[in-house]
Amino acid sequence: MLTEIILNNQEWYVIRDFIYKSTGLYFSDDKKSYIQKRLKIAMDNLQIANFWEYLKRIETDKSALNKLLELITTNETYFFRDIPQLDMFSKDVLPELLIRKANKGDFRLKIWSAGCSTGEEAYTIAIILKERLEYFDDWNIEILGTDISERVLKFAQEAVYIPRSLKDVPEYIKLKYFEYNPADKMYKLKDEIKRLVVFRYLNLYDESKMKLMRNYDVIFCRNVLIYFDEESRRKVVEYFYDALNPGGYIFLGHSESILRITKAFEIVYFDNNIAFRKPIN
């Protein structure tokens, strides 16, 4: 095992640029120490001591690259994260969207959680829909969660969570949709919510795959674009725009602003809240 990794300038720029070209994730020079530490773990796991040998490995082995990406990205999330935004989705955006679609005789609803991590966001959306839609069974609902980490996707599919993941979940929701196991102090999501969500691997920077993402009514991509630089951020948001139906909505993290990225979306006002929508016409 390596005691540590110290990248020279050439190695640092090569690995940084490779990650960027592969995923759109950009790491500035002040992240060099952070990447070195994660790189050491990845190389130790493969028992590779030479940087250039490791680089060749991740260039040709998707699994090895995915393992590195899992180490360098943060997957911290929890149920009902950013409640004010979810309230706007539930009480303002969702009714407007459903009425508009129903008036056209369209009872299909497609929602995409991009960068879904361990699944809490996608499952939160499923719970909200289950609670808010009076005629739930009349709708053909698709909720998709995608992530670049196969490890977190597996975790999401298992849907077993520590108490901290439910710290913002109302007690009645816990009782209604989760089973608590006092032996291991874990919460298991019930099947009626689990079966509403499909998870799959997706690199948001993969143009060929992103062009297949179409006809979504709502996209959640919260606290994901902070890992991208301005150019790749704009590119991914363009993919999102194309993936949305006219009149579809996009939600970013509270520290992210769609207006800094593109002017293509229109602002929709709901009382004291604003949402961003792809123009209907």
Side-chain angles (χ1 to χ4, degrees):
M1 296 178 61
L2 301 171
T3 55
E4 64 177 326
I5 289 179
I6 303 296
L7 300 175
N8 61 39
N9 285 340
Q10 180 189 12
E11 292 167 340
W12 163 239
Y13 294 135
V14 166
I15 190 68
R16 183 184 71 175
D17 292 349
F18 175 74
I19 293 170
Y20 177 73
K21 290 175 182 177
S22 300
T23 66
L25 303 177
Y26 178 75
F27 293 92
S28 55
D29 288 342
D30 62 349
K31 297 294 184 181
K32 182 179 178 180
S33 176
Y34 170 83
I35 295 298
Q36 285 178 161
K37 292 176 182 176
R38 301 311 188 271
L39 198 60
K40 175 191 181 305
I41 298 172
M43 292 173 66
D44 281 346
N45 289 340
L46 292 174
Q47 297 183 324
I48 297 176
N50 180 272
F51 169 81
W52 298 102
E53 182 184 345
Y54 176 74
L55 180 65
K56 184 177 180 180
R57 178 68 174 269
I58 61 175
E59 287 175 335
T60 57
D61 185 343
K62 177 184 173 183
S63 175
L65 175 58
N66 286 341
K67 291 291 192 300
L68 175 62
L69 297 177
E70 289 172 1
L71 287 168
I72 64 177
T73 53
T74 302
N75 296 303
E76 199 270 340
T77 186
Y78 46 89
F79 284 90
F80 288 86
R81 185 176 188 178
D82 194 348
I83 289 177
Q85 188 181 72
L86 291 173
D87 281 345
M88 179 175 64
F89 165 72
S90 173
K91 299 174 183 177
D92 299 318
V93 169
L94 189 60
E96 187 275 333
L97 186 62
L98 294 177
I99 291 171
R100 176 158 43 85
K101 290 178 73 71
N103 286 340
K104 296 189 298 182
D106 182 0
F107 291 89
R108 297 166 298 172
L109 183 66
K110 291 182 66 175
I111 300 178
W112 175 15
S113 171
C116 67
S117 187
T118 44
E120 287 93 330
E121 178 179 85
Y123 287 134
T124 295
I125 294 165
I127 291 171
I128 289 172
L129 293 181
K130 196 72 172 174
E131 289 288 298
R132 292 288 297 181
L133 267 67
E134 183 177 357
Y135 303 105
F136 185 89
D137 293 335
D138 294 340
W139 286 83
N140 179 6
I141 296 173
E142 296 181 35
I143 304 173
L144 174 67
T146 66
D147 203 277
I148 200 170
S149 167
E150 293 176 340
R151 179 184 61 83
V152 298
L153 290 173
K154 182 179 179 181
F155 191 104
Q157 289 165 342
E158 293 173 350
V160 178
Y161 297 95
I162 61 174
R164 187 177 183 278
S165 293
L166 282 75
K167 65 185 182 68
D168 288 342
V169 177
E171 195 62 31
Y172 80 95
I173 293 291
K174 288 183 186 179
L175 295 173
K176 190 173 182 178
Y177 297 115
F178 293 86
E179 296 174 352
Y180 179 67
N181 185 342
D184 58 13
K185 298 182 180 179
M186 300 290 279
Y187 286 88
K188 181 180 180 181
L189 189 67
K190 292 184 179 179
D191 287 344
E192 66 174 301
I193 298 299
K194 279 182 65 176
R195 62 172 172 257
L196 295 175
V197 184
V198 173
F199 294 98
R200 74 167 185 257
Y201 173 89
L202 180 65
N203 180 348
L204 298 179
Y205 211 58
D206 187 331
E207 182 175 5
S208 63
K209 294 293 191 298
M210 290 293 281
K211 285 186 174 181
L212 298 176
M213 306 296 289
R214 290 293 182 269
N215 303 124
Y216 285 90
D217 297 298
V218 182
I219 296 175
F220 284 84
C221 184
R222 304 191 297 173
N223 306 301
V224 175
L225 296 180
I226 54 175
Y227 295 103
F228 293 75
D229 73 345
E230 184 176 348
E231 180 181 348
S232 54
R233 196 178 295 128
R234 186 179 299 111
K235 183 177 180 179
V236 171
V237 169
E238 287 176 1
Y239 293 148
F240 287 154
Y241 184 89
D242 292 339
L244 282 169
N245 287 324
Y249 289 85
I250 186 168
F251 290 93
L252 302 184
H254 74 276
S255 64
E256 303 166 310
S257 171
I258 197 75
L259 295 176
R260 296 175 188 161
I261 305 171
T262 179
K263 305 298 183 185
F265 290 88
E266 61 185 8
I267 300 175
V268 182
Y269 294 91
F270 295 107
D271 293 330
N272 295 322
N273 297 312
I274 62 171
F276 294 94
R277 183 174 68 187
K278 181 174 179 176
I280 296 176
N281 297 315

